[in-house]
Amino acid sequence: TFRKGFLAEPRDRARILGDLGDMRKRLAENKPKRGVWDVARGSGGLQDIELFAQAEALLAGAAVTDVTGQLTVTPQLVSAADSDLLLDAHQLEAAVKQASRLLAEGVVDPEQLGRGAQAFLLREADAPDFETLSARLQELSAAAGAIIDAAIAAKTPKAGAA
């Protein structure tokens, strides 16, 4: 198939990472993050992690299409621990995004939700309260963004990467 043939060809790591950096810059300029509950956008958000995962899969020559597979099949740019953190961030952000879609149009504002909706969002995110959830989202997003920034800046595999 085309995909297998394409993935079997040699890849230019610097070009892929340069393109990834350019895409992240365009997204930041054209679709800026609108607060902690905008889990899709911004450095370390869903879009950012998914783009990075696609670059990982491309560099590995892997035909996997899910984020978990892309980040774990053969990490090319980050250590296994960093890959795990990216997966943790993606999992939490995806849970918040999916629950939010059922509760509101656009970015959810927990203060505007009723008690039942708030309880649902907290349950889906496995968080005891919104303060804890907000802090965890900020922490994981910042860490994921820093990992991706470092990987792009290095343009070579990190020590300890598989």
Side-chain angles (χ1 to χ4, degrees):
T1 65
F2 173 78
R3 177 180 283 198
K4 286 182 182 178
F6 178 77
L7 291 173
E9 293 179 13
R11 287 158 292 286
D12 181 343
R13 177 183 304 269
R15 180 173 178 209
I16 290 169
L17 293 176
D19 289 348
L20 175 61
D22 291 343
M23 178 70 74
R24 292 177 81 217
K25 182 179 178 186
R26 286 194 306 272
L27 284 169
E29 291 170 355
N30 296 308
K31 293 187 176 192
K33 188 174 183 91
R34 297 171 291 178
V36 68
W37 302 108
D38 187 2
V39 295
R41 297 178 180 184
S43 177
L46 285 169
Q47 290 176 338
D48 199 27
I49 295 169
E50 289 168 1
L51 283 170
F52 183 76
Q54 291 167 9
E56 281 275 30
L58 183 59
L59 289 170
V64 292
T65 57
D66 66 291
V67 172
T68 300
Q70 291 171 334
L71 288 173
T72 60
V73 65
T74 307
Q76 299 291 306
L77 302 169
V78 297
S79 68
D82 284 349
S83 181
D84 287 345
L85 189 140
L86 291 170
L87 288 169
D88 288 347
H90 188 270
Q91 182 179 21
L92 179 60
E93 291 168 347
V96 169
K97 178 72 172 173
Q98 290 166 3
S100 296
R101 282 186 166 169
L102 298 173
L103 301 173
E105 286 188 35
V107 176
V108 72
D109 179 355
E111 293 180 12
Q112 300 299 315
L113 299 176
R115 280 193 226 168
Q118 287 178 341
F120 172 72
L121 182 56
L122 289 172
R123 183 177 62 245
E124 292 302 301
D126 193 26
D129 55 59
F130 284 107
E131 184 177 329
T132 302
L133 178 55
S134 175
R136 185 75 176 137
L137 284 168
Q138 290 177 53
E139 173 190 331
L140 284 173
S141 174
I147 289 168
I148 295 169
D149 288 342
I152 292 172
K155 299 214 185 215
T156 57
K158 277 189 163 182

